[in-house]
Amino acid sequence: FKDGQFPCRWVPDMGYRYGYPQFEYYGPLPYYLMTASRFVGLSLFSAMKLGFVLPLILGNLAMFLLASSLFGPWGGLLSAAAYAYAPYRASDLYSRGAMGETWAFVFLPLILFTLLRLFKKPNLKTAALLGLAYGGLLATHNISTLIFSPLVGLLALILLRREKEKKTVVKYGLVAVIWAVLIAGSFFLPLIFEKGYAHTESLIQGYFNYLAHFVTVKQLFFTTFWGYGSSEIGPTDDLSFFIGPVHLLLFLVAIILTLYRFFRRRLDQTTLVVLAAIIFTLLSLFMTHQKSTFLWQMLPLAYLQFPWRFLVTANFFLALSAGYLFYKLTFTKILPLAVVFTGLLFLTNVSFFRPRSWFDLTIWEKFSGYSWDRQLTISIFDYLPIYAKFPPALAAPLLPYGVKTKISILDFTHGSDNFRFTTKSLINDVLILPQFDFPGWQVKLDGKKVVHRHNNDLGLIALDLPAGEHRLEAALKKTPVRLFGDLTTLIFAPLALYTLISKNHNDKK
């Protein structure tokens, strides 16, 4: 941000300091929010903690908003409690440290809430709200978007069959989807159209092959094993995937109540939504099991990597259906049940929401020595620029260098996505910049743009350097796709916010 790189796409220290297009492909929104907190004085560690605490609070509030709109406040409370104390969310937080997925739990209930609102009030304001919610998910977590979008789309089609004003709902629904893509355009459009510029094949090979990470029935339903490790090949994972006994009990009750009302022909919209939620929960759980292999082979799902990622939607829809217990019950019946089930959810799951251990670690210790080297090389195969044949084995040199002879480097400045320096060479040489090449990198020699190449094993920026003293500048520029995406976000995100607060767009259809 301070270096003027916005939107942030290039991370200079990643890839063993050769630089990586990390946020070209990895959802940046949570990191923007954490960075914003740094500007108001939070320390780096505090900003990171806020990045995990805030989605827990906001996600639970969003679930309460959704469920209370369907079942009333007590049903909303029960669904929010089931959502808050889902064991998988504790795994995301304390075992995996999955920032993007943790934030995805905020947007799932917001999207469904605004979708249901769109059916009640199909207007531009509701479309703007749905666009913002869905755009937030697009800019936060690719995999949760891929899993959730077909399900929420199918629910929309189911609800549309009962809708009288189909054309109006479809019109504003399409506006919302287009709006979401344009709001997230600065990230989503380059992700789609520039995917081929990185070695994304490494994301589905070896350890990341989905066939190695299916979950067993025992791991889902018949254990409360808690681990702080990782997903391993076979059923010996040191990571927890179970649903939780109280959650399962509430889910079974929701199934019984829904079937009862279904066979009694009392299928109102709320019951229909819960019926869909139950089916989606069962489908999501099935997709985590090896029996679903044929679907993984038929559908383009390999980039989801881990079948247990479907626990995101499984836990979301299960928690939503839990609130159905209080639908159309009187207050005198609700109160004791609310106390019992909310208390049970808390008592049986709160112990999972704690760290394995605490570290008395300073920022200087984190960013030095082995810890710092690990940060520079972690996930080094992910998003490696396509011009590199393989990842680097050693850290990048601090300065550019010549192929034939030693070159003097003066006044060297290395920004987050740019270089500036003066060179002195006695002979014509080839200058190598310690920087992965990637579409958009532009090199200027003495103020004039020159052609560079990347014909070396690591795909580093290389150019012909004449003898003598020269001023060189290199910077990552916007490609047409990035520029267009940035413009769509710059225009349509404020436009959506303006539509929400404007009095011109009232609640009339």
Side-chain angles (χ1 to χ4, degrees), residues 105-340:
F105 278 102
V106 176
F107 293 104
L108 303 189
L110 287 178
I111 291 170
L112 188 50
F113 171 77
T114 50
L115 176 66
L116 296 176
R117 188 176 178 86
L118 185 71
F119 277 89
K120 294 179 179 179
K121 296 181 178 181
N123 55 40
L124 200 58
K125 269 192 174 182
T126 313
L129 188 61
L130 180 55
L132 284 168
Y134 191 40
L137 182 62
L138 286 172
T140 295
H141 198 238
N142 307 336
I143 292 175
S144 294
T145 303
L146 287 171
I147 295 174
F148 184 66
S149 295
L151 299 179
V152 76
L154 182 57
L155 177 59
L157 291 176
I158 293 171
L159 295 176
L160 193 62
R161 293 191 62 184
R162 299 165 58 96
E163 180 62 39
K164 295 180 180 178
E165 300 185 30
K166 290 183 174 61
K167 290 184 179 180
T168 305
V169 172
V170 169
K171 179 179 72 173
Y172 286 109
L174 290 175
V175 169
V177 171
I178 295 171
W179 219 331
V181 172
L182 295 175
I183 287 171
S186 64
F187 167 71
F188 186 68
L189 295 180
L191 170 69
I192 298 299
F193 293 104
E194 296 186 343
K195 174 186 173 185
Y197 295 143
H199 283 287
T200 54
E201 73 277 0
S202 65
L203 299 175
I204 59 175
Q205 295 174 350
Y207 173 79
F208 297 106
N209 189 310
Y210 68 88
L211 290 171
H213 298 283
F214 284 111
V215 182
T216 65
V217 171
K218 178 182 178 181
Q219 287 176 301
L220 285 172
F221 305 118
F222 301 110
T223 183
T224 55
F225 163 78
W226 192 255
Y228 288 95
S230 59
S231 178
E232 304 295 341
I233 297 174
T236 58
D237 309 274
D238 189 24
L239 190 63
S240 304
F241 307 113
F242 63 88
I243 299 301
V246 181
H247 287 82
L248 287 174
L249 176 60
L250 289 169
F251 185 59
L252 290 174
V253 171
I255 292 175
I256 293 170
L257 292 175
T258 305
L259 291 177
Y260 172 78
R261 290 194 171 103
F262 176 79
F263 289 114
R264 293 289 297 269
R265 298 184 182 277
R266 298 177 182 176
L267 199 62
D268 56 13
Q269 187 186 68
T270 296
T271 304
L272 186 61
V273 170
V274 174
L275 179 60
I278 290 170
I279 294 172
F280 294 160
T281 301
L282 294 173
L283 176 61
S284 297
L285 292 174
F286 176 69
M287 292 301 294
T288 69
H289 193 269
Q290 192 173 7
K291 291 293 185 181
S292 66
T293 301
F294 71 98
L295 289 176
W296 284 82
Q297 293 172 341
M298 288 171 51
L299 302 172
L301 300 176
Y303 280 98
L304 301 185
Q305 298 175 320
F306 305 107
W308 43 258
R309 289 188 189 272
F310 274 91
L311 290 175
V312 173
T313 49
N315 279 280
F316 166 69
F317 285 112
L318 188 152
L320 176 61
S321 66
Y324 193 58
L325 173 64
F326 295 155
Y327 184 50
K328 292 187 176 180
L329 285 186
T330 62
F331 176 77
T332 54
K333 293 181 180 179
I334 288 176
L335 188 58
L337 289 174
V339 172
V340 169

Side-chain angles (χ1 to χ4, degrees), residues 11 89 93 385:
V11 183
R89 294 187 74 188
L93 179 62

Side-chain angles (χ1 to χ4, degrees), residues 45 50 243 282 371 383 500:
F45 286 173
L50 181 67
I243 299 301
L282 294 173
S371 177
Y383 319 125
L500 289 178

